[in-house]
Amino acid sequence: MESMVLVLGVSAGAGGARAMLTHSDQPHLPPIDRCQVPRRAGGGVEEPVFEAIRQMGAAADRRDELITGAAVTCRCPLHADAIRTTAGRTRLTIVDEPLAQLRYLRFTGRLPTTGSVILYDLGSSGLTITHADCRTDTILSSKRSTVLGGDGYDALLRWQLARGGVLTDKLTSRRHREELSSTRVITAMDTSSGGRAVVTRSDLAELCAAGIHHSASFVRQLIEETGVQPEALILLGGCTRNPDIREELSEMIELPVIYDEEPEYVSARGAVLLAAERPNGDVRMARLRSGALTGSLVPTTIGRRKLVAAVAVTIALGATIAGLLAMDHTAAQPPGGVNAPTPVEVAGIPVTSFN
């Protein structure tokens, strides 16, 4: 890989886009510049992506440098199609998100050289769990849930604060949640009434406990479906910054944990590497065809009754969060137009298989 080439990595998601501008041989170092662009309510996933590209292009111009390659990671084909259509003749590499995540972790030496791993990506708009083979970069199985995610946890935090007489908007509750990743206690204030409420990290952990507990059930279900015992659990997405969440997942899933200090930027850092290696076109991940599973079989430890119970509880959690988000939707929109899952997305189908 050519060194000292200025490249751009962008991760696209339902909540918006993150981008980082750096040299191709330095994805692990603090970037030259970075930005986060939220997705506006009702806007397409491509809008924040190209706004992020524009901002990083301006940053390169200020340095009098040229961006020689840009890659965007996408979670699903619909997002990829929207970005590809908007790109037109712009040179752009579109990458399957799990592939970029594996690529960066391999670059940093944290990815096992053999066996498989579980990518547990807990972001603002939902949870994506991917079981991937480390040697072949093949997806063995994958599931996504819009019940479990930062938007839902923000809604639960607002609900708890409201019970204590403190009303906050979406952006404020998100800031409070993110602050609790690095500090144990915060004080939330209602700017209208002057009311105050103390929130601890353990309070937030209790709010998230049901969702985290049942996400562990879905991880075990995914392992059972593939029949392959993974070597490690890789925690990704901004929500995994919370040390209590990481500790709880580690105890429940009982796998070695791999964690990056900036888990929400792992996808963009992997995109940086792929932008330098493959300057144009699509980079897709192979998926194991049905009935072709290989490797060490995992003993069946999860009964159907437990799986049904896990799904039932998650549906109940989703209905609760859906109600809170629906109440938010009828209230005034927060500044910045941050996009959240609709009640239909949250309560419709808790877990969707990508196989």
Side-chain angles (χ1 to χ4, degrees), residues 2-83:
E2 186 180 357
S3 63
M4 298 307 291
V5 174
L6 194 65
V7 290
L8 173 63
V10 184
S11 61
R18 298 178 189 271
M20 59 181 300
L21 184 67
T22 188
H23 291 110
S24 57
D25 61 340
Q26 299 175 349
H28 56 303
L29 300 180
I32 292 169
D33 204 346
R34 70 169 79 186
C35 67
Q36 179 180 356
V37 182
R39 182 180 172 186
R40 69 176 179 86
V45 70
E46 71 281 0
E47 290 183 11
V49 167
F50 286 97
E51 172 59 22
I53 291 174
R54 185 196 67 77
Q55 290 184 24
M56 294 298 93
D61 289 342
R62 289 193 294 270
R63 295 173 55 88
D64 198 25
E65 291 192 64
L66 176 68
I67 298 175
T68 60
V72 180
T73 70
C74 295
R75 183 180 298 124
C76 69
L78 288 177
H79 289 177
D81 289 343
I83 293 167

Side-chain angles (χ1 to χ4, degrees), residues 10-13 72-76 94-103 119 121 128 130 139 144 236 264 266-268 270-271 274 283 285:
V10 184
S11 61
V72 180
T73 70
C74 295
R75 183 180 298 124
C76 69
I94 299 177
V95 184
D96 283 349
E97 186 169 51
L99 184 62
Q101 293 166 345
L102 293 174
R103 181 67 185 85
L119 300 170
D121 193 345
T128 303
T130 305
I139 294 177
R144 175 155 176 86
L236 304 163
E264 68 273 36
V266 168
S267 297
L274 291 164
V283 184
M285 234 179 144

Side-chain angles (χ1 to χ4, degrees), residues 5-347:
V5 174
L6 194 65
V7 290
L8 173 63
V10 184
S11 61
R18 298 178 189 271
M20 59 181 300
L21 184 67
T22 188
H23 291 110
S24 57
D25 61 340
Q26 299 175 349
H28 56 303
L29 300 180
I32 292 169
D33 204 346
R34 70 169 79 186
C35 67
Q36 179 180 356
V37 182
R39 182 180 172 186
R40 69 176 179 86
V45 70
E46 71 281 0
E47 290 183 11
V49 167
F50 286 97
E51 172 59 22
I53 291 174
R54 185 196 67 77
Q55 290 184 24
M56 294 298 93
D61 289 342
R62 289 193 294 270
R63 295 173 55 88
D64 198 25
E65 291 192 64
L66 176 68
I67 298 175
T68 60
V72 180
T73 70
C74 295
R75 183 180 298 124
C76 69
L78 288 177
H79 289 177
D81 289 343
I83 293 167
R84 189 182 302 106
T85 300
T86 306
R89 296 184 179 181
T90 304
R91 284 169 56 89
L92 199 65
T93 302
I94 299 177
V95 184
D96 283 349
E97 186 169 51
L99 184 62
Q101 293 166 345
L102 293 174
R103 181 67 185 85
Y104 177 67
L105 293 166
R106 184 176 291 117
F107 173 84
T108 58
R110 285 174 287 182
L111 190 72
T113 56
T114 59
S116 64
V117 292
I118 297 289
L119 300 170
Y120 182 102
D121 193 345
L122 184 60
S124 62
S125 62
L127 169 67
T128 303
I129 302 172
T130 305
H131 194 173
D133 184 90
C134 298
R135 186 178 58 84
T136 62
D137 288 342
T138 299
I139 294 177
L140 306 182
S141 188
S142 183
K143 292 183 183 294
R144 175 155 176 86
S145 169
T146 50
V147 170
L148 312 170
D151 290 330
Y153 296 146
D154 292 343
L156 290 171
L157 180 57
R158 285 196 300 280
W159 169 74
Q160 176 162 305
L161 289 172
R163 291 180 65 193
V166 175
L167 300 181
T168 60
D169 59 24
K170 294 180 181 180
L171 294 181
T172 303
S173 63
R174 169 147 300 181
R175 188 180 73 249
H176 290 331
R177 177 175 59 81
E178 291 174 348
E179 287 172 350
L180 286 169
S181 295
S182 55
T183 187
R184 292 189 174 276
V185 182
I186 63 163
T187 300
M189 186 175 72
D190 187 328
T191 55
S192 299
S193 67
R196 294 172 180 267
V198 173
V199 184
T200 68
R201 186 182 291 169
S202 60
D203 292 334
L204 180 62
E206 288 181 11
L207 288 174
C208 300
I212 296 300
H213 186 83
H214 291 286
S215 74
S217 296
F218 290 126
V219 170
R220 291 190 289 266
Q221 180 187 7
L222 197 71
I223 296 171
E224 185 180 60
E225 289 176 354
T226 60
V228 178
Q229 178 64 35
E231 300 295 322
L233 176 71
I234 299 174
L235 300 181
L236 304 163
C239 290
T240 63
R241 279 182 173 269
N242 189 304
D244 287 355
I245 289 178
R246 297 200 302 272
E247 183 179 353
E248 191 168 359
L249 282 169
S250 176
E251 291 176 355
M252 289 188 294
I253 299 177
E254 296 182 341
L255 285 172
V257 169
I258 297 173
Y259 173 74
D260 186 84
E261 291 183 356
E262 291 189 313
E264 68 273 36
Y265 276 96
V266 168
S267 297
R269 292 181 190 277
V272 163
L273 291 165
L274 291 164
E277 296 170 0
R278 311 181 191 187
N280 202 16
D282 290 4
V283 184
R284 303 297 305 275
M285 234 179 144
R287 294 178 180 272
L288 197 68
R289 67 182 184 277
S290 179
L293 293 173
T294 59
S296 302
L297 294 180
V298 181
T300 303
T301 58
I302 308 171
R304 179 179 177 82
R305 184 176 300 175
K306 289 185 179 181
L307 292 179
V308 171
V311 172
V313 173
T314 306
I315 291 174
L317 176 65
T320 300
I321 294 174
L324 294 171
L325 291 175
M327 291 172 64
D328 284 340
H329 185 70
T330 59
Q333 293 294 321
V338 177
N339 194 57
T342 67
V344 172
E345 289 176 320
V346 173

